[in-house]
Amino acid sequence: MNLNLKNKTVLITGGSKGIGLSIAESFLAEGASIIITSRDAGNLEKALSHLTSTGFKSEHIKTEALDLSKSSDCNALYKKFPNIDILINNAGAIPGGNIFEIDEEKWRASWELKVFGYINLTRLYLKNMQEKKNGVICNIIGMAGIAPRYEYICGAAANSALIAFTQAIGGASVRSGVRVFGINPSATKSDRMETMLKKTATDKLGDASRWMELTTALPFGRMAEPSEIAHLAVFGCSDLCGYLSGTVINVDGGQNFNPPQK
Ligand SMILES: NC(=O)c1ccc[n+]([C@@H]2O[C@H](COP(=O)([O-])OP(=O)(O)OC[C@H]3O[C@@H](n4cnc5c(N)ncnc54)[C@H](OP(=O)(O)O)[C@@H]3O)[C@@H](O)[C@H]2O)c1
């Protein structure tokens, strides 16, 4: 299949690690140029050396260090790179915990990035894409939005809001030729997931180092690989999926209909 992504410019937030880095690799493999962002210039430097050491050309990769929980940084990113074809909203770092463990300060801080960061960048880039009558926005959200858990309450509520946001925006954006869709990953191998599973292992098993034991009851006896989310994101953004908008695709190995057995 020809995904026809050569000469496309793709902005991937949180592209220095985990799912975002895997999405970056997958777009590069299709001949696209990418811009990856994260807060830490060192993480971006590591990502760049990883990508170039696997054979991708540095002229196809730009990096930008900023904190997307600040609207001023969202505006600065747009100002520097206004002309993109595809936006992947992916940067997110909502901690696990129940309503008593996540106080108001932590709650608001994490939503500044995962909720308001997605909304702010969508507002900026959607306008530009609508004027060109072309573009795709893909929001990496999370299964907790449709399968909420008390122990991940802050993320569940954020994801649920972003699902509604994606559906409403993607329903209307097609009037001006722009597609907006989302992906809900379930547990996917990444630094963030390791941190969250270590907390659960501490709470449930009394030992953070036993976190891998929590993955064996998942579908296929494992977490999703970042590439399993990335390939779908790239395919969904391609012209081959030209009728995909206002939809959020669940990637959970069927877990929502078959919860792990105790
Ligand atoms: N992994 C999972 O199981 C899973 C499941 C469902 C949904 N998701 C969602 O998928 C997305 C990616 O998760 P992941 O597991 O791949 O996370 P990850 O490995 O921790 O990567 C997060 C990325 O976001 C960047 N980032 C964090 N805070 C930032 C900020 N304030 N401004 C800009 N960039 C920031 C990080 O870089 P710096 O630290 O350098 O800033 C990093 O590049 C998140 O939205 C997450 O909620 C993940």
Side-chain angles (χ1 to χ4, degrees):
M1 275 192 282
N2 179 2
L3 300 189
N4 199 21
L5 289 164
K6 286 198 178 78
N7 306 319
K8 299 276 186 196
T9 302
V10 187
L11 169 60
I12 304 150
T13 71
S16 68
K17 285 192 245 168
I19 294 171
L21 180 57
S22 188
I23 293 174
E25 278 187 88
S26 303
F27 272 112
L28 285 168
E30 292 301 321
S33 293
I34 60 159
I35 303 151
I36 53 174
T37 76
S38 87
R39 282 164 306 181
D40 185 317
N43 287 342
L44 287 166
E45 196 48 50
K46 270 191 223 151
L48 180 63
S49 2
H50 165 75
L51 293 169
T52 50
S53 71
T54 48
F56 299 116
K57 295 201 174 103
S58 59
E59 61 258 36
H60 292 152
I61 308 167
K62 292 194 172 89
T63 64
E64 190 68 17
L66 23 71
D67 182 347
L68 295 176
S69 65
K70 298 179 183 158
S71 47
S72 55
D73 281 21
C74 293
N75 292 337
L77 179 62
Y78 177 71
K79 205 168 169 200
K80 185 151 184 193
F81 302 106
N83 288 315
I84 60 166
D85 301 292
I86 296 169
L87 166 65
I88 310 287
N89 277 314
N90 167 77
I94 299 186
N98 65 39
I99 188 166
F100 303 110
E101 292 167 313
I102 310 290
D103 63 19
E104 183 179 347
E105 199 183 336
K106 273 193 210 157
W107 195 299
R108 285 183 185 272
S110 66
W111 280 29
E112 288 296 343
L113 175 64
K114 177 92 188 222
V115 181
F116 290 101
Y118 282 38
I119 293 170
N120 287 340
L121 287 184
T122 299
R123 190 187 291 107
L124 290 164
Y125 282 102
L126 181 63
K127 190 152 198 303
N128 181 305
M129 288 175 178
Q130 285 183 325
E131 280 160 12
K132 292 188 294 191
K133 299 215 172 306
N134 190 27
V136 184
I137 298 175
C138 169
N139 293 327
I140 304 299
I141 308 176
M143 276 303 290
I146 59 153
R149 300 278 181 265
Y150 180 67
E151 291 76 19
Y152 185 49
I153 190 70
C154 184
N159 288 344
S160 175
L162 287 173
I163 290 168
F165 174 76
T166 303
Q167 289 167 332
I169 300 267
S173 65
V174 295
R175 293 178 204 147
S176 41
V178 179
R179 296 192 296 110
V180 180
F181 74 100
I183 296 178
N184 281 334
S186 62
T188 304
K189 224 186 264 173
S190 72
D191 288 359
R192 208 179 78 80
M193 189 40 62
E194 185 176 327
T195 307
M196 286 179 62
L197 287 176
K198 280 182 175 159
K199 179 186 179 303
T200 309
T202 307
D203 294 347
K204 289 197 173 160
L205 309 172
D207 181 356
S209 72
R210 292 176 61 193
W211 66 276
M212 275 300 283
E213 291 174 33
L214 300 171
T215 66
T216 55
L218 294 175
F220 306 106
R222 63 171 176 83
M223 290 183 271
E225 291 293 332
S227 63
E228 289 169 320
I229 308 303
H231 292 148
L232 180 61
V234 171
F235 181 56
C237 289
S238 77
D239 293 346
L240 298 190
C241 292
Y243 215 67
L244 177 70
S245 196
T247 298
V248 182
I249 305 167
N250 299 331
V251 185
D252 74 337
Q255 189 185 345
N256 197 31
F257 302 105
N258 184 23
Q261 306 301 304
K262 298 264 181 251

